[in-house]
Amino acid sequence: VSHTDRYGSRRFFTGWRSHVPLMSTGANLRPLEGVRVLDLTRVLAGPFATMILGDLGAEVIKVERPGAGDDTRAWGPPFVGTESVYFLSVNRNKKSISVDLKHPRGANVIQELAAVCDVLVENYLPGKLQQMGLGYEQLSRVNPQLIYCSISGYGQTGPQSQSPGYDSIASAVSGMMHITGPEDGDPVRPGVAMTDLATGLYAHGAVMAALLQRHKTGRGVHIDCNLLSSQVSCLSHIAANYLNAGKEARRWGTAHESIVPYQGFKTKDGHIVVAAGNDKQFVKVCQVLQLMELTDEPKYKTNQLRVQNRKQLLHTLSQRFLQEKTADWLRRFEGSGVPVGPINNIQEVFSDPQVKHNSLIQKMTHPTAGRIAVPGPAVRFSSFAPDEPTPPPLIGQHTVQVLQDTLSYGDDVIKTLLESRAVAQNDVS
């Protein structure tokens, strides 16, 4: 159906697919309510992206291989019962169907699901799904509105496209590890898989943009999202320093190469981070530390001078911070206008009043693991409150349900598929 927009131009408009309500008067309607996502991803980048889509209301159908399922189901300890905590952390609000993609009947199930889904997300080696008849070109002929998001290590084409994607390798190749670690130490892997997580965020954003584009054009699209591109793009000013000034990067620990003092300091019982981003804040730091004589030093008058003379200045500040406890320093800095914060361990993170206020602990009841808790969504909307999340699924927990409700398969067809082992159902309740 075409319509004329308020600027007088003609646009092709389809709204969502048939299973999506075009309009709703529901006060708590989530943004992706009615959008159906076929999730062929495993490990972290893809599951993180699809979990965010699920948090926003999408129906996410997670496809897992019979038996082992998603690789992260075995990544432990720790386990809660038999469930890997790693898997539990990124797979809420999903249904799991167990399908053997190498079985012709299993591949056919995926083809039929793709025909009635809005989005497909996959992280197979480029070209692998095409060999099974599940590539973008093949499925877009069946469903021209399908948004097909491919997540890979290095991209769908190019000299490294056939290399498998791993966070640690992409983090190294992209330069992330080169700039992370102690100033005089070796490169360090970030404490969480930031390259995977950044890629998941890029993929989630790309899918949202593609849904908006389809709303205007009526057509789907193939999205090429990869670990290398995601992390290189996140090099930000470090990349720009090199590209524009030929300046090679180095490791700074908690410090900042262009601002002083802007780093972590040891205290009597822990660590505190101080971020004095301008000259006025530097004076405030000196007042709190009772080191006002530093403000009279010509070599510390401006940030540029402090960067040039950082070694002696930071030594003086470090010695002073060691004389008091972290909590005492935080009290002293309160109201000063200088950004400061403790370096919390994880227990302290989840005891923090603001973390609790932001509802970042999300609890749910898992069918075998019992009561579990995971980090909650980072973003809140004024238009809806998050529903009670559904727990991460068991392998194949929803196979029969999806075949019945989404594909309208009869009992005989489902029985045949189960007997042929093209699909599997988990009967644990």
Side-chain angles (χ1 to χ4, degrees):
V1 180
S2 66
H3 76 103
T4 303
D5 68 15
R6 60 185 174 137
Y7 300 103
S9 62
R10 302 287 287 179
R11 288 186 178 176
F12 183 79
F13 172 75
T14 61
W16 303 119
R17 291 179 60 77
S18 59
H19 58 274
V20 184
L22 186 59
M23 294 184 66
S24 173
T25 57
N28 206 37
L29 184 71
R30 293 177 292 172
L32 296 185
E33 203 79 48
V35 174
R36 185 177 290 143
V37 177
L38 186 59
D39 182 4
L40 297 175
T41 69
R42 59 267 190 226
V43 187
L44 183 55
F48 186 56
T50 56
M51 180 179 71
I52 298 171
L53 298 176
D55 288 342
L56 295 175
E59 176 191 4
V60 180
I61 300 171
K62 181 179 178 72
V63 179
E64 300 189 74
R65 64 184 185 275
D70 189 318
D71 297 18
T72 58
R73 287 187 181 274
W75 286 12
F79 292 91
V80 181
T82 58
E83 300 298 321
S84 156
V85 171
Y86 198 116
F87 177 85
L88 295 177
S89 71
V90 289
N91 284 287
R92 64 175 173 260
N93 291 325
K94 301 178 186 180
K95 300 173 182 176
S96 172
I97 65 171
S98 187
V99 182
D100 183 357
L101 270 62
K102 295 180 180 178
H103 194 295
R105 289 181 177 175
N108 185 64
V109 168
I110 301 303
Q111 289 170 350
E112 294 198 14
L113 281 171
V116 295
C117 283
D118 299 281
V119 179
L120 183 151
V121 188
E122 59 90 9
N123 63 349
Y124 282 76
L125 207 62
K128 188 71 174 176
L129 287 179
Q130 189 172 3
Q131 296 171 10
M132 303 178 192
L134 302 174
Y136 171 68
E137 292 80 7
Q138 295 145 322
L139 295 183
S140 64
R141 285 196 289 268
V142 177
N143 179 2
Q145 291 186 307
L146 182 67
I147 293 162
Y148 191 112
C149 179
S150 294
I151 299 175
S152 62
Y154 302 94
Q156 295 299 298
T157 59
Q160 282 186 275
S161 62
Q162 291 303 300
S163 299
Y166 292 92
D167 171 89
S168 58
I169 308 303
S171 179
V173 173
S174 68
M176 176 69 160
M177 280 194 192
H178 175 71
I179 61 174
T180 305
E183 185 175 351
D184 299 316
D186 293 330
V188 169
R189 176 185 175 274
V192 293
M194 284 308 306
T195 301
D196 266 343
L197 295 170
T199 305
L201 287 169
Y202 267 117
H204 142 255
V207 166
M208 299 292 278
L211 285 167
L212 182 60
Q213 183 183 49
R214 191 187 70 178
H215 187 69
K216 300 173 182 177
T217 67
R219 299 288 302 180
V221 68
H222 188 200
I223 297 167
D224 177 358
C225 192
N226 65 83
L227 305 185
L228 179 66
S229 296
S230 297
Q231 189 56 72
V232 170
S233 74
C234 286
L235 291 179
S236 177
H237 72 283
I238 297 297
N241 287 348
Y242 170 75
L243 294 172
N244 295 283
K247 182 176 167 65
E248 181 55 82
R250 51 171 289 194
R251 291 179 287 285
W252 288 98
T254 63
H256 195 294
E257 64 175 329
S258 303
I259 312 173
V260 174
Y262 198 104
Q263 65 180 74
F265 294 94
K266 269 190 175 183
T267 65
K268 202 170 186 178
D269 65 343
H271 293 84
I272 188 172
V273 172
V274 176
N278 56 51
D279 297 336
K280 185 178 178 181
Q281 289 178 343
F282 172 66
V283 172
K284 288 288 188 180
V285 170
C286 294
Q287 286 177 348
V288 172
L289 269 59
Q290 298 177 332
L291 294 172
M292 285 301 292
E293 63 271 17
L294 295 178
T295 63
D296 296 326
E297 290 275 2
K299 61 186 176 182
Y300 301 147
K301 285 292 183 183
T302 68
N303 179 69
Q304 186 174 354
L305 290 169
R306 291 193 295 277
V307 169
Q308 292 170 3
N309 299 285
R310 71 164 66 223
K311 192 169 183 180
Q312 186 177 347
L313 173 59
L314 292 175
H315 175 74
T316 303
L317 297 180
S318 296
Q319 293 301 113
R320 179 70 180 102
F321 274 110
L322 284 170
Q323 296 172 13
E324 305 280 351
K325 293 182 178 180
T326 301
D328 293 330
W329 282 125
L330 292 173
R331 279 192 291 272
R332 287 173 181 260
F333 273 103
E334 195 169 339
S336 68
V338 179
V340 297
I343 297 182
N344 286 331
N345 62 29
I346 306 305
Q347 180 183 13
E348 290 165 336
V349 170
F350 289 103
S351 300
D352 185 281
Q354 190 65 46
V355 170
K356 291 180 177 179
H357 175 81
N358 289 358
S359 302
L360 288 169
I361 304 172
Q362 193 167 56
K363 297 180 179 180
M364 61 200 87
T365 302
H366 187 274
T368 61
R371 199 68 176 161
I372 63 170
V374 298
V379 178
R380 290 289 183 269
F381 290 73
S382 63
S383 56
F384 75 98
D387 290 341
E388 177 74 19
T390 60
L394 304 172
I395 303 172
Q397 180 179 343
H398 305 96
T399 301
V400 170
Q401 177 191 332
V402 169
L403 295 179
Q404 286 175 338
D405 298 348
T406 307
L407 295 181
S408 301
Y409 283 5
D411 292 343
D412 291 345
V413 175
I414 294 173
K415 182 180 178 183
T416 301
L417 286 170
L418 290 168
E419 289 174 348
S420 71
R421 298 189 177 178
V423 305
Q425 168 69 30
N426 192 321
D427 292 321
V428 176
S429 58

